[in-house]
Amino acid sequence: MTFKRLAALAGVGVMALGIASCSSTGGAPEQSGEGGGGGGTVDTPRLTVAMITHEVPGDSFWDLIRKGAEAAAKKDNIELRYSNDPEAPNQANLVQSAIDSNVDGIAVTLAKPDAMAPAVKAAEAAGIPVVAFNSGYDNWKAMGVQEYFGQDEKLAGISAGERLTADGAKKVLCVIQEQGQVALESRCAGVTQGFQGPTELLNVNSKDMPSVESTITAKLQQDPSIDTVVALGAPIALTAVQSKSNAGSNANIVTFDTNAALVDAIQSGDVLWAVDQQPYLQGYLAIDSLWLFLNNKNLIGGGQATLTGPSFIDKSNIDAVAELAKAGTR
């Protein structure tokens, strides 16, 4: 796991050097203080890139991805066309629409790889480079996608499970908010593997948050031996905090992924820790990698995924992260 993290950092370092080189040879940048994505804008030809995600409405995690993408697009003189749909067939249709509009590149999430595969192949057949990020770690390469930016979800789950063991947890409830979503199921599979005690899975529907709250509440009331709830997203974690109160439970709440409200919950102690995959960085790298490829045929990662996580956010580092969260980048 240490080697993978070092490799990921090395990949980001190589990318940063590549950006510096391309910027200096591409012309003098114009200075700009907006966007948080660097010191200027390249003077390379204007490109159009589509970013298409499985964003779930109301989940501000995706705001961080989009901010990173917008920062890279501004720096790279790219017109960013962002669209999203949580339903895989609709997301695939958005990819086809991007192909039909002759974009220069496509960045896409692969939460439901089988449903997305035909659209990805259509883009490749049209000569449009495709990179993936956030979801699809186990599938991107077989689908012909040229680069991937995200975390190994199984590895992240194992890391979380090992930490739960070290924390002294005895029984874990892992809450999956979208059944069949490969990244989420890989996380719980990893938790189950890494945790030395029993792990129970609970499927809920994130499109109905009152139902999520009542379902977790009922489970905690039914089984008081559950001493830790593992959420797979910040909105679910914050809902689990309320469920814990409803049930009169003493269970700890931990989660994957963050947003500004989740940062506050860690500071207050309502949530113990979060596994961070750096969504801003995922969005930034996905767009920047397409600029590098289209302008200089650079590829990041040496044929392997570029890992942006996992790392942990907890009481030891939350204050530094909180400042960045206020700026909307963590």
Side-chain angles (χ1 to χ4, degrees):
M1 182 166 62
T2 301
F3 175 80
K4 289 184 178 180
R5 289 180 182 171
L6 289 173
L9 291 172
V12 173
V14 170
M15 177 215 60
L17 291 172
I19 293 171
S21 174
C22 290
S23 295
S24 63
T25 58
E30 299 175 5
Q31 296 302 312
S32 171
E34 298 179 11
T41 302
V42 300
D43 64 357
T44 47
R46 183 78 164 171
L47 298 169
T48 301
V49 170
M51 173 173 273
I52 300 149
T53 78
H54 65 282
E55 175 180 342
V56 177
D59 188 347
S60 56
F61 170 90
W62 294 97
D63 295 341
L64 302 176
I65 289 209
R66 188 168 182 174
K67 276 203 170 187
E70 288 172 344
K74 181 173 182 178
K75 177 181 69 67
D76 293 339
N77 193 24
I78 286 173
E79 177 191 344
L80 178 66
R81 297 180 182 175
Y82 182 92
S83 59
N84 61 279
D85 199 293
E87 301 299 330
N90 297 336
Q91 188 190 5
N93 288 337
L94 291 173
V95 174
Q96 186 59 55
S97 295
I99 297 168
D100 295 341
S101 65
N102 296 314
V103 297
D104 297 296
I106 295 174
V108 66
T109 58
L110 302 172
K112 303 282 180 68
D114 291 343
M116 295 299 294
V120 169
K121 290 196 177 299
E124 294 161 354
I128 300 173
V130 179
V131 302
F133 65 99
N134 182 262
S135 294
Y137 174 86
D138 294 321
N139 308 89
W140 68 277
K141 191 179 293 188
M143 294 172 68
V145 173
Q146 64 183 32
E147 297 169 86
Y148 182 85
F149 305 96
Q151 71 182 357
D152 179 337
E153 301 291 4
K154 182 74 174 291
L155 173 65
I158 292 171
S159 299
E162 291 173 345
R163 176 155 183 169
L164 291 169
T165 298
D167 287 348
K170 301 302 181 185
K171 184 173 183 179
V172 166
L173 181 70
C174 195
V175 183
I176 301 176
Q177 69 262 31
E178 184 181 351
Q179 203 166 0
Q181 213 268 49
V182 291
L184 301 181
E185 294 190 346
S186 291
R187 289 176 180 181
C188 278
V191 169
T192 301
Q193 181 176 330
F195 179 53
Q196 292 183 7
T199 301
E200 185 170 345
L201 307 185
L202 180 67
N203 288 293
V204 297
N205 180 5
S206 63
K207 296 175 185 176
D208 184 356
M209 294 305 286
S211 172
V212 173
E213 181 181 328
S214 62
T215 301
I216 297 175
T217 298
K219 189 63 184 175
L220 292 175
Q221 289 173 333
Q222 174 192 351
D223 188 354
S225 69
I226 295 170
D227 61 5
T228 306
V229 176
V230 179
L232 304 184
I236 304 300
L238 296 170
T239 300
V241 171
Q242 184 59 50
S243 296
K244 169 184 173 178
S245 176
N246 297 343
S249 169
N250 293 318
N252 292 317
I253 311 296
V254 302
T255 190
F256 288 72
D257 300 336
T258 64
N259 60 21
L262 196 281
V263 168
D264 292 341
I266 293 177
Q267 286 184 309
S268 69
D270 288 334
V271 175
L272 289 188
W273 46 259
V275 179
D276 182 28
Q277 60 175 310
Q278 301 186 97
Y280 179 95
L281 184 60
Q282 291 176 6
Y284 188 97
L285 292 180
I287 299 305
D288 208 38
S289 68
L290 285 166
W291 182 87
L292 287 166
F293 179 78
L294 290 164
N295 281 282
N296 207 44
K297 294 298 180 283
N298 293 126
L299 292 170
I300 302 171
Q304 302 301 313
T306 300
L307 300 184
T308 63
S311 60
F312 288 93
I313 296 177
D314 55 23
K315 281 282 192 180
S316 70
N317 57 9
I318 190 61
D319 290 341
V321 172
E323 290 302 312
L324 297 169
K326 289 177 184 176
T329 60
R330 290 298 296 267

